[in-house]
Amino acid sequence: MSDDISGGTEDVVGVLTQQIEAHFGMGFDGLKAAVDAAPTAHPTATVVVKWHGLLLESQAALDQAEDDLLTALQSQPSEVDDPTLDLAHRVDAAVTARDGRAMVIRWLLDPHAPGQQDATERLARGRRQGPAVPTSAPPRPATAPQAGKGVLR
């Protein structure tokens, strides 16, 4: 993209790809082929390749959102309308998603990062340790308070 709104962050994918290649000592295409051939052989590589794919998806979404915003801004009069403002919010959300995925990759590549000891293997297996957070609504009382007999405030 030639008119990049985000400035110097446009090559986040390229920088992380180089870091991945240096970490594993091979080109990314070779790493992806090795992971595809034996996904359980190296859990960290498998997880990194997965997150790299997610990073590519989020970068593509960001590029599209930036292109859409730039097009809208070029056709705007002096004031920005609500649809254009919505496009700006979409760019912001896409940057957040891309940067979050980039942070995960950086964390995965750092063997000394907090919590890194066995987390990569858990991510590769797709399992958590410990109970899941409850997602159902809390139980409601069997009877509703009667009018005039509620809690005093």
Side-chain angles (χ1 to χ4, degrees):
M1 180 172 152
S2 58
D3 296 318
D4 185 43
I5 295 172
S6 61
T9 62
E10 73 182 54
D11 201 24
V12 170
V13 173
V15 168
L16 285 173
T17 301
Q18 289 175 351
Q19 289 176 357
I20 291 167
E21 291 173 343
H23 182 84
F24 291 102
M26 63 174 45
F28 191 81
D29 290 338
L31 179 63
K32 185 169 178 353
V35 164
D36 289 344
T40 59
H42 196 297
T44 301
T46 301
V47 173
V48 167
V49 167
K50 172 189 168 193
W51 279 94
H52 187 270
L54 294 171
L55 178 66
L56 290 174
E57 289 175 12
S58 60
Q59 183 63 52
L62 173 58
D63 292 343
Q64 184 62 54
E66 287 176 335
D67 288 345
D68 294 347
L69 178 59
L70 187 60
T71 299
L73 288 172
Q74 289 172 342
S75 66
Q76 286 285 306
S78 60
E79 292 184 28
V80 175
D81 60 10
D82 286 341
T84 303
L85 189 57
D86 289 341
L87 289 172
H89 290 300
R90 196 174 104 205
V91 168
D92 186 48
V95 167
T96 300
R98 191 267 325 263
D99 290 352
R101 290 172 176 180
M103 286 181 1
V104 169
I105 292 171
R106 287 185 192 113
W107 180 80
L108 289 167
L109 294 176
D110 182 359
H112 304 294
Q116 184 59 278
Q117 296 299 326
D118 63 343
T120 303
E121 289 184 27
R122 283 195 320 270
L123 285 172
R125 290 190 309 264
R127 293 186 214 139
R128 279 182 244 117
Q129 289 189 351
V133 176
T135 58
S136 60
R140 301 183 87 182
T143 59
Q146 295 176 359
K149 295 185 180 181
V151 177
L152 295 177
R153 296 178 195 204

